Amino acid sequence: MHDIQTREDIELLVNEFYKKVVPDRLIGHFFTRVVHFTWEEHIPVMISFWETVLLGQQSYKGNPMVKHIELDALYPLDPLHFDRWLYLWQETVRQLYAGDKANEAVDRAHSIAKIMKAKIAARHLPG
Ligand code: HEM
């Protein structure tokens, strides 16, 4: 088993991740019913995001925080959704890759999710 080294490695990771996400009972509906995006556009954005995070390519220019605040307004995102997302992400990374970048993919997802969860939870407070 090798480490994550190229955009193609990330492409496989993202595609395999979504094979688990789409039929998932807890979070699949966000991708199939809540948002109306096209996979042809979304997949390359996700690949670029992880290429930027892990391989330093600067190919992603966007704001995931804003996207998820908008998503939460359409259908409330709660901690269980984040836990499920992270579980499936970690499972997919571990199935495919081993090494520093693979560890980083898991760790960075957890730290980004923690920030997203906190910002979204704060928006759910009254007042
Ligand atoms: C509760 C867990 C999550 C759910 C249900 C979820 C769902 C989604 C959905 C439906 C979109 C498409 C939004 C749109 O195009 O309108 C999206 C975009 C995205 N998500 Fe998540 N997400 C979750 C957690 C995360 C986490 C933890 C990360 C990062 C580690 C992440 C990274 C991204 C990125 C980079 C995009 C693309 C934003 C853009 O278009 O610029 N997501 N997510």
Side-chain angles (χ1 to χ4, degrees):
M1 208 188 273
H2 68 85
D3 202 357
I4 299 167
Q5 290 165 321
T6 64
R7 185 173 172 95
E8 287 66 37
D9 292 337
I10 294 175
E11 185 175 356
L12 177 67
L13 173 59
V14 168
N15 283 323
E16 292 300 311
F17 173 62
Y18 279 127
K19 281 188 198 162
K20 296 173 195 271
V21 166
V22 168
D24 189 78
R25 281 180 53 238
L26 261 181
I27 60 170
H29 63 286
F30 284 102
F31 298 86
T32 56
R33 304 176 73 131
V34 178
V35 293
H36 300 283
F37 62 17
T38 63
W39 288 101
E40 291 74 15
E41 285 177 35
H42 178 68
I43 296 277
V45 171
M46 288 305 283
I47 297 169
S48 293
F49 172 77
W50 285 107
E51 190 183 36
T52 301
V53 171
L54 299 174
L55 307 179
Q57 283 298 323
Q58 310 293 318
S59 51
Y60 175 75
K61 297 188 182 27
N63 188 333
M65 199 60 239
V66 169
K67 280 274 173 182
H68 294 83
I69 286 172
E70 288 167 2
L71 185 59
D72 174 63
L74 295 174
Y75 189 106
L77 278 169
D78 70 38
L80 281 178
H81 298 130
F82 281 101
D83 291 348
R84 187 68 186 154
W85 191 107
L86 288 170
Y87 176 85
L88 295 176
W89 178 252
Q90 179 160 336
E91 186 181 65
T92 316
V93 172
R94 297 293 180 217
Q95 271 167 6
L96 293 171
Y97 303 110
D100 290 349
K101 295 289 177 191
N103 293 339
E104 210 182 321
V106 171
D107 293 348
R108 293 294 293 271
H110 277 88
S111 48
I112 295 165
K114 199 174 166 188
I115 299 166
M116 282 181 182
K117 249 198 274 191
K119 290 207 172 160
I120 287 169
R123 296 174 67 87
H124 290 177
L125 294 173

